[in-house]
Short mmCIF file of all heavy atoms in Angstrom, two decimals:
data_model
loop_
_atom_site.label_atom_id
_atom_site.label_comp_id
_atom_site.label_asym_id
_atom_site.label_seq_id
_atom_site.Cartn_x
_atom_site.Cartn_y
_atom_site.Cartn_z
N LEU L 14 -9.04 -10.65 -8.75
CA LEU L 14 -10.38 -11.09 -9.15
C LEU L 14 -11.15 -9.91 -9.70
O LEU L 14 -11.44 -8.95 -8.97
CB LEU L 14 -11.12 -11.70 -7.97
CG LEU L 14 -10.43 -12.89 -7.28
CD1 LEU L 14 -11.29 -13.41 -6.13
CD2 LEU L 14 -10.13 -14.00 -8.26
N GLY L 26 -11.14 -4.26 2.18
CA GLY L 26 -11.85 -3.00 2.40
C GLY L 26 -11.30 -2.14 3.51
O GLY L 26 -11.77 -1.03 3.70
N LEU L 81 -12.62 -11.11 6.26
CA LEU L 81 -11.24 -11.59 6.35
C LEU L 81 -10.92 -11.91 7.79
O LEU L 81 -11.33 -11.19 8.71
CB LEU L 81 -10.28 -10.52 5.85
CG LEU L 81 -10.31 -10.21 4.36
CD1 LEU L 81 -9.41 -9.01 4.05
CD2 LEU L 81 -9.86 -11.41 3.55
N VAL L 88 -13.72 -22.76 2.06
CA VAL L 88 -12.92 -23.66 1.21
C VAL L 88 -13.48 -23.53 -0.19
O VAL L 88 -14.60 -23.97 -0.47
CB VAL L 88 -13.00 -25.12 1.71
CG1 VAL L 88 -12.19 -26.03 0.78
CG2 VAL L 88 -12.48 -25.24 3.13
N GLY L 108 -26.42 -23.69 0.19
CA GLY L 108 -27.04 -23.51 -1.11
C GLY L 108 -26.59 -22.25 -1.81
O GLY L 108 -26.28 -22.28 -2.99
N ASN L 114 -20.49 -10.12 -6.33
CA ASN L 114 -20.24 -8.70 -6.09
C ASN L 114 -21.58 -7.98 -5.96
O ASN L 114 -22.28 -7.79 -6.97
CB ASN L 114 -19.42 -8.13 -7.24
CG ASN L 114 -18.86 -6.74 -6.97
OD1 ASN L 114 -18.14 -6.21 -7.78
ND2 ASN L 114 -19.19 -6.15 -5.83
N ASN L 147 8.82 8.62 -2.71
CA ASN L 147 8.96 10.03 -2.37
C ASN L 147 10.37 10.49 -2.72
O ASN L 147 11.35 9.82 -2.38
CB ASN L 147 8.68 10.25 -0.89
CG ASN L 147 7.26 9.89 -0.53
OD1 ASN L 147 6.32 10.42 -1.09
ND2 ASN L 147 7.11 8.95 0.40
N THR L 214 17.05 -16.55 1.36
CA THR L 214 17.19 -16.43 2.82
C THR L 214 17.92 -15.15 3.15
O THR L 214 19.00 -14.89 2.64
CB THR L 214 17.94 -17.64 3.40
OG1 THR L 214 17.21 -18.83 3.12
CG2 THR L 214 18.10 -17.49 4.90
N SER L 216 19.64 -13.33 6.17
CA SER L 216 20.14 -13.74 7.49
C SER L 216 19.98 -12.65 8.54
O SER L 216 19.80 -12.95 9.72
CB SER L 216 21.61 -14.16 7.38
OG SER L 216 22.40 -13.09 6.88
N GLY L 247 15.93 9.62 6.17
CA GLY L 247 16.42 8.58 7.05
C GLY L 247 15.27 7.97 7.82
O GLY L 247 14.11 8.05 7.40
N ALA L 273 20.03 5.01 21.47
CA ALA L 273 18.79 5.74 21.72
C ALA L 273 18.63 6.98 20.85
O ALA L 273 17.91 7.90 21.20
CB ALA L 273 18.68 6.14 23.20
N ASN L 280 22.93 3.96 5.11
CA ASN L 280 24.24 3.87 4.48
C ASN L 280 24.17 2.90 3.29
O ASN L 280 24.09 1.68 3.47
CB ASN L 280 25.26 3.38 5.52
CG ASN L 280 26.67 3.33 4.96
OD1 ASN L 280 26.92 3.74 3.84
ND2 ASN L 280 27.59 2.83 5.77
N ALA L 301 16.22 14.42 19.66
CA ALA L 301 17.03 14.01 20.80
C ALA L 301 16.16 13.18 21.75
O ALA L 301 14.95 13.35 21.81
CB ALA L 301 17.57 15.23 21.54
N PRO L 302 16.77 12.25 22.53
CA PRO L 302 15.97 11.42 23.43
C PRO L 302 15.33 12.23 24.54
O PRO L 302 15.82 13.30 24.93
CB PRO L 302 17.00 10.43 23.99
CG PRO L 302 18.32 11.06 23.77
CD PRO L 302 18.20 11.89 22.54
#
Side-chain angles (χ1 to χ4, degrees):
L14 303 181
L81 291 173
V88 179
N114 192 177
N147 298 302
T214 299
S216 59
N280 183 5

